[in-house]
Amino acid sequence: MLEKIFKLKENNTTARTEIIAGLTTFMTMAYIIALNPNLLTGFGKDTMPELWNGVFLATCIASAIGTIVMAFLANKPFAMAPGMGLNSFFAVVTNIVALTGMTYVASFQAALCIVLVEGIVFLILSVLNIREKIVDAIPLGVRLGIAPAIGLMLLNIGVGSNAGI
């Protein structure tokens, strides 16, 4: 049945390989399940448990739906989850704007407007192929080094905060 749905032989893989890869990917990305609500509620598990639980549940549901859509509609082995960069942006912007005396709702609305403008700019850059030119201008060594650098940064954060190294 899995062969029929996912065309495993055509993609030169097995169900066992895909299950192990899926579990490995989940373990790699599981930190997002707790980090996302922590960022968006200001680490409010104890002070705002209802909001924290809501964001936690929304993160799980959104990740599951995105991953299922990628699996069954696109037939791609990609896990989907909220991007932590944008979540961090919302956390920082709402905190900074809140310092100016705006309400939480107004600061969140301001952050949404900034993201809307950013999305329009990225759309224009994509349509005009400017993004590709920007990426091509970055040296290959830097492009290849970004993913391992992010991995090492996460390792440093995890080991540093949990093992005291």
Side-chain angles (χ1 to χ4, degrees), residues 124-138:
I124 292 168
L125 292 175
S126 297
V127 168
L128 299 176
N129 286 331
I130 296 172
R131 282 182 59 199
E132 188 176 315
K133 292 175 183 171
I134 292 170
V135 170
D136 289 340
I138 299 171

Side-chain angles (χ1 to χ4, degrees):
M1 180 172 109
L2 289 175
E3 168 59 40
K4 197 177 212 180
I5 296 172
F6 297 113
K7 302 176 181 97
L8 298 176
K9 286 184 183 171
E10 182 180 317
N11 291 312
N12 198 26
T13 187
T14 64
R16 180 181 186 280
T17 300
E18 293 303 313
I19 290 169
I20 291 172
L23 291 172
T24 304
T25 301
F26 175 78
M27 294 299 178
T28 304
M29 295 174 55
Y31 74 96
I32 292 172
I33 295 170
L35 184 58
N36 189 37
N38 281 339
L39 279 174
L40 295 178
T41 65
F43 293 83
K45 186 169 173 59
D46 296 326
T47 57
M48 298 181 285
E50 296 85 11
L51 180 60
W52 194 95
N53 290 339
V55 175
F56 179 87
L57 183 61
T59 301
C60 292
I61 292 170
S63 300
I65 290 171
T67 301
I68 289 167
V69 167
M70 287 300 290
F72 291 103
L73 294 181
N75 196 20
K76 298 289 181 190
F78 299 140
M80 304 298 286
M84 298 315 299
L86 194 55
N87 294 345
S88 299
F89 168 76
F90 267 92
V92 171
V93 167
T94 53
N95 288 336
I96 290 172
V97 177
L99 293 173
T100 65
M102 295 175 73
T103 65
Y104 184 79
V105 171
S107 64
F108 202 78
Q109 289 170 337
L112 285 172
C113 287
I114 292 168
V115 170
L116 174 66
V117 171
E118 174 222 6
I120 292 169
V121 168
F122 272 106
L123 181 65
I124 292 168
L125 292 175
S126 297
V127 168
L128 299 176
N129 286 331
I130 296 172
R131 282 182 59 199
E132 188 176 315
K133 292 175 183 171
I134 292 170
V135 170
D136 289 340
I138 299 171
L140 181 61
V142 173
R143 282 187 274 163
L144 294 175
I146 290 173
I150 291 171
L152 289 172
M153 179 197 69
L154 291 173
L155 176 70
N156 183 37
I157 291 168
V159 172
S161 61
N162 294 316
I165 296 175

